[in-house]
Amino acid sequence: MADSEGSVEQKFSLQEVLDTFKLCLSENKEVYLQHYVAGWRGLVKFLNSLGSVFGFISKDAVNKIQVLVSHLNGENGSQYVTVQSMVKYELDNELVDLTKRGGHPESGCRTLLRLHRALRWLELFLERLRTSTEDSKTSVMCADAYNESLAQHHPWVVRKAAGVAFCVLPGRQAFLEVMNVGPPEQVVAMLGEALPLISEVYQITEELYSQHNLLDLP
Ligand SMILES: CCCCCCCC/C=C\CCCCCCCC(=O)N[C@@H](COP(=O)(O)O)[C@H](O)/C=C/CCCCCCCCCCCCC
């Protein structure tokens, strides 16, 4: 549907995100950066539909997506086909600030690490949502998942702002409706399908980053 300015409305679809995460893994379990980024784009659509309180989160995610897209479309784009090839290329060519911020503030490795940590939050949050009951609060599920994952990497001011945003999340029923899947049971079933995919992508990336000591990039 076109809005008043003539641009096409970006409606969130959980099915679309599920399909994108399905495409993320190659036969030999490498993570395609193009599909990883597309998955995040889909998730950001959902975030944007929640209103301007989430604008500062969406802005940061979009910024990181754009950094990765510019690597993918850049002159060395062929080195960025998978997360594995990106890590090898950037490390071999000393393109990553390993211990303190320096000449490579927008390396693919550093940028992806931020989204990778957020993927853990997503996994924890969606698992809570999947197993929740009608009276469960999305704000509590979201905050618990955040405190267990991303919060450890954020300064006080970001944690406070995130906490305020969580308080205005829609209730469970409205939240499930925005996913555009159908009745709650169908959303829950689709979450059950999506979670193992998200979890596998997370685990593979986590292992890769751990092998190369990249989990604490500044
Ligand atoms: C299946 C659909 C249902 C759930 C849909 C959820 C949609 C979520 C979409 C996007 C999530 C946001 C991803 C945020 C990436 C944050 C990366 C990050 O940690 N950035 C910080 C560090 O960056 P550098 O300074 O080192 O470059 C940066 O400081 C962060 C700033 C923004 C605050 C991030 C708070 C994140 C809260 C978790 C997301 C809550 C979304 C709630 C919606 C349900």
Side-chain angles (χ1 to χ4, degrees), residues 74-112:
E75 56 179 331
N76 297 308
S78 61
Q79 310 284 351
Y80 287 83
V81 172
T82 65
V83 176
Q84 286 73 5
S85 66
M86 173 189 83
V87 166
K88 181 172 176 1
Y89 168 70
E90 290 197 343
L91 289 180
D92 286 354
N93 291 281
E94 299 181 7
L95 295 171
V96 186
D97 294 332
L98 293 172
T99 50
K100 58 177 173 43
R101 287 192 184 213
H104 305 289
E106 296 201 330
S107 68
C109 288
R110 177 204 189 273
T111 306
L112 188 121

Side-chain angles (χ1 to χ4, degrees), residues 127-136 141 172 176 188:
E127 180 54 19
R128 280 173 166 83
L129 196 60
R130 190 185 72 82
T131 54
S132 62
T133 53
E134 266 177 43
D135 57 349
S136 302
M141 292 186 264
R172 180 179 178 273
L176 296 180
V188 166

Side-chain angles (χ1 to χ4, degrees), residues 7 20-21 26 35 45 49 67 126 134-135 152-153 177 193 211 216:
S7 57
T20 317
F21 276 102
S26 73
H35 298 303
K45 273 191 216 172
S49 74
V67 169
L126 294 185
E134 266 177 43
D135 57 349
Q152 298 153 29
H153 304 283
E177 276 165 18
E193 224 188 303
Q211 277 164 10
D216 293 310

